[in-house]
Amino acid sequence: MRQSLTKQIILWCGLTLLVSLMLNSFDIYANYQAVSPNGSNELLWSAMFLVIPLLVAVLLVPVSLVGTIFKRSRRVSILVILSCLVYFATAIACFRIGGKVRMSAFHKLAERSELLIQAIKKYELKYSNPPSSLENLVPEFLPNIPHTGIGAYPAYEYKVGDEAQNFANNLWCLLIQTPSGGINWDIFIYFPNQEYPKRGYGGVLERVGDWAYVYE
């Protein structure tokens, strides 16, 4: 009996692991594709639906715990609980890997953006005021206005004057809209004064080099 149960556990958990990896690795690919030079965030919208089987797995655990009370359903309930735990653990691991892939790209973006930041600072030093737009940097300080290098979020937004005052009283700041799928307004921001709060701008901030990522 025990050998039979052990074999069933291995079979159920093995199949669940395979299915979970096949489904949830899509989140890793969606994040990788979004932050690639030619990517888009369309797949991130599709990846939202991965939450549904995850919620089902979570809900099945307490239901199956009740089933373990009864002898007739105990074996199946145990198998379901273990399978749900395997699915949950695998899904969370894939989501975390996808998040690391995403944030690695933003660390690189922060480094790439240094040329643009230095150009703005040089303009500010020479003319005693920040440029009124990024176009003013061309061609004296930059040959052209750079793109972010991330396909899903290609453009920098430049705030100056009163608009920038809303961002920690900076004279200017850089902003990149970085929604990660669904009803989401994540942003990636640069403040020249480097005064980033822990919370604000609609979410929680995480420092990424000299920038900060706002999780909405």
Side-chain angles (χ1 to χ4, degrees):
M1 181 71 72
R2 285 189 176 182
Q3 287 183 345
S4 176
L5 179 59
T6 301
K7 288 181 179 179
Q8 285 184 314
I9 289 174
I10 294 172
L11 178 61
W12 279 52
C13 290
L15 288 174
T16 302
L17 177 63
L18 181 61
V19 171
S20 184
L21 285 173
M22 290 175 63
L23 284 176
N24 294 298
S25 59
F26 179 77
D27 183 75
I28 300 174
Y29 176 73
N31 277 286
Y32 170 78
Q33 199 270 345
V35 297
S36 64
N38 298 313
S40 70
N41 64 355
E42 293 178 1
L43 291 182
L44 289 175
W45 283 77
S46 301
M48 289 175 52
F49 293 101
L50 294 174
V51 175
I52 296 174
L54 182 62
L55 289 176
V56 171
V58 171
L59 292 174
L60 279 175
V61 170
V63 173
S64 299
L65 282 173
V66 175
T68 60
I69 298 173
F70 307 100
K71 187 175 181 179
R72 179 177 295 181
S73 60
R74 185 172 300 154
R75 177 187 289 261
V76 173
S77 296
I78 291 172
L79 292 172
V80 170
I81 290 170
L82 292 175
S83 296
C84 287
L85 292 176
V86 169
Y87 187 92
F88 180 83
T90 309
I92 295 301
C94 287
F95 294 161
R96 288 188 174 181
I97 293 171
K100 287 184 180 296
V101 169
R102 180 179 177 84
M103 294 314 298
S104 175
F106 283 104
H107 277 279
K108 293 175 182 177
L109 173 56
E111 295 173 0
R112 285 197 305 273
S113 301
E114 192 60 26
L115 287 175
L116 175 59
I117 291 168
Q118 290 304 316
I120 297 172
K121 290 181 176 180
K122 288 177 182 178
Y123 183 104
E124 190 175 20
L125 183 63
K126 182 174 181 178
Y127 295 105
S128 301
N129 284 299
S132 58
S133 69
L134 295 181
E135 284 78 5
N136 291 356
L137 299 172
V138 181
E140 184 176 2
F141 299 94
L142 287 173
N144 50 57
I145 300 171
H147 294 286
T148 64
I150 293 181
Y153 322 113
Y156 293 97
E157 291 183 26
Y158 175 66
K159 305 291 185 182
V160 66
D162 292 339
E163 284 188 320
Q165 290 292 311
N166 296 325
F167 295 91
N169 294 316
N170 282 274
L171 294 178
W172 61 272
C173 66
L174 291 170
L175 171 71
I176 303 169
Q177 302 287 346
T178 58
S180 56
I183 304 174
N184 176 277
W185 290 276
D186 288 2
I187 56 174
F188 196 47
I189 51 178
Y190 174 83
F191 294 166
N193 68 8
Q194 295 291 286
E195 295 179 2
Y196 299 104
K198 292 183 178 180
R199 290 180 175 272
Y201 316 108
V204 178
L205 281 74
E206 176 186 339
R207 285 294 295 264
V208 180
D210 290 337
W211 289 64
Y213 190 97
V214 182
Y215 295 93
E216 187 270 332

